[in-house]
Amino acid sequence: AQTVTQSQPEMSVQEAETVTLSCTYDTSENNYYLFWYKQPPSRQMILVIRQEAYKQQNATENRFSVNFQKAAKSFSLKISDSQLGDTAMYFCAFLMNYGGSQGNLIFGKGTKLSVKP
Amino acid sequence: NAGVMQNPRHLVRRRGQEARLRCSPMKGHSHVYWYRQLPEEGLKFMVYLQKENIIDESGMPKERFSAEFPKEGPSILRIQQVVRGDSAAYFCASSPRSGNSGANVLTFGAGSRLTVL
């Protein structure tokens, strides 16, 4: 069974600084997707970034980027120029790709990020 | 383009009552997923449905919980004879049909918070 581990329950960063959130996962499969979701106090789940396992290039979305190390099964999220609005729970998630059929997302327990002014 | 709509946002039930949570997927999405989030935890998969079909219910408790996605109308998650341990946030997500680009990206609703007294 696949598992997702986020080893940092809480982190804080000063506004405008850079922070990296860690995520490791365990799978014997080769074809899958990885995601970071953000959950602000409103509790809405918002997709931050996604990575296809077959792509070697790390995904980027504006201030958000990932460091995907497939052999190490590591998928960290880097937030540059942190803003107060980045304060939220961040969840790493894993999705199997069954050759076009849909699997289901497996989430880590989350990292609570606080951006301080 | 309305997102995933869930209602009610908040539901209070006494032990032994029934809870019904509704989810309307995004326009053009034919896959619906239900997840449960306990306090201080990540989301846990419950069930995956397409119109009139349950595709994967491996995350559903064996008793008291059921889900449907009829041909017409929203998807319903039904919890019979609720107990205090059912208190949680229940999230619905939807995605396009398999094979579409972006089929692996789930769009989440804002969640329904169930409180059992």
Side-chain angles (χ1 to χ4, degrees):
Chain A
Q2 290 80 21
T3 59
V4 177
T5 303
Q6 293 179 250
S7 58
Q8 305 151 315
E10 291 192 42
M11 292 191 73
S12 64
V13 63
Q14 291 295 130
E15 196 175 6
E17 297 292 312
T18 295
V19 64
T20 299
L21 308 183
S22 300
C23 173
T24 58
Y25 59 94
D26 188 23
T27 183
S28 58
E29 302 295 332
N30 196 47
N31 193 8
Y32 52 87
Y33 301 91
L34 294 162
F35 304 83
W36 280 97
Y37 279 87
K38 169 185 176 180
Q39 188 178 43
S42 66
R43 302 196 66 83
Q44 176 79 48
M45 292 292 288
I46 301 166
L47 178 65
V48 174
I49 200 165
R50 71 166 168 164
Q51 175 83 40
E52 289 92 339
Y54 63 86
K55 288 187 177 178
Q56 291 188 338
Q57 186 174 7
N58 288 324
T60 63
E61 284 289 340
N62 301 314
R63 298 183 294 107
F64 298 87
S65 61
V66 297
N67 183 5
F68 174 46
Q69 302 288 330
K70 191 172 183 180
K73 297 179 184 174
S74 171
F75 184 61
S76 60
L77 174 69
K78 186 171 83 171
I79 306 174
S80 304
D81 185 25
S82 297
Q83 300 176 0
L84 296 178
D86 295 334
T87 292
M89 283 290 288
Y90 286 81
F91 292 98
C92 179
F94 172 99
L95 177 68
M96 274 300 305
N97 181 13
Y98 297 109
S101 298
Q102 198 68 298
N104 61 72
L105 280 169
I106 299 168
F107 285 87
K109 290 195 172 185
T111 296
K112 185 177 182 179
L113 177 67
S114 298
V115 180
K116 300 186 184 305
Chain B
N1 184 17
V4 178
M5 305 302 292
Q6 289 189 248
N7 66 82
R9 289 296 309 275
H10 301 276
L11 182 64
V12 179
R13 285 287 178 265
R14 296 192 181 279
R15 281 179 295 170
Q17 292 184 318
E18 179 179 288
R20 282 188 182 229
L21 309 177
R22 288 175 290 278
C23 169
S24 296
M26 276 187 72
K27 188 176 181 181
H29 286 192
S30 56
H31 295 200
V32 165
Y33 306 78
W34 285 94
Y35 287 80
R36 176 165 64 176
Q37 184 179 31
L38 296 170
E40 310 301 322
E41 295 280 326
L43 279 68
K44 292 282 197 298
F45 169 77
M46 299 181 75
V47 63
Y48 160 36
L49 310 104
Q50 296 176 22
K51 285 284 187 182
E52 300 184 282
N53 282 305
I54 296 175
I55 306 302
D56 181 355
E57 57 181 348
S58 59
M60 286 280 269
K62 293 289 184 282
E63 297 178 347
R64 302 188 297 108
F65 285 72
S66 62
E68 63 176 8
F69 189 15
K71 188 177 181 181
E72 300 291 337
S75 174
I76 307 284
L77 179 67
R78 181 183 178 203
I79 312 172
Q80 295 177 291
Q81 299 174 347
V82 296
V83 301
R84 290 224 172 101
D86 297 333
S87 294
Y90 292 83
F91 286 88
C92 173
S94 71
S95 69
R97 62 181 175 85
S98 295
N100 279 7
S101 63
N104 57 75
V105 177
L106 275 62
T107 301
F108 282 85
S112 292
R113 178 169 291 282
L114 172 66
T115 301
V116 180
L117 301 177

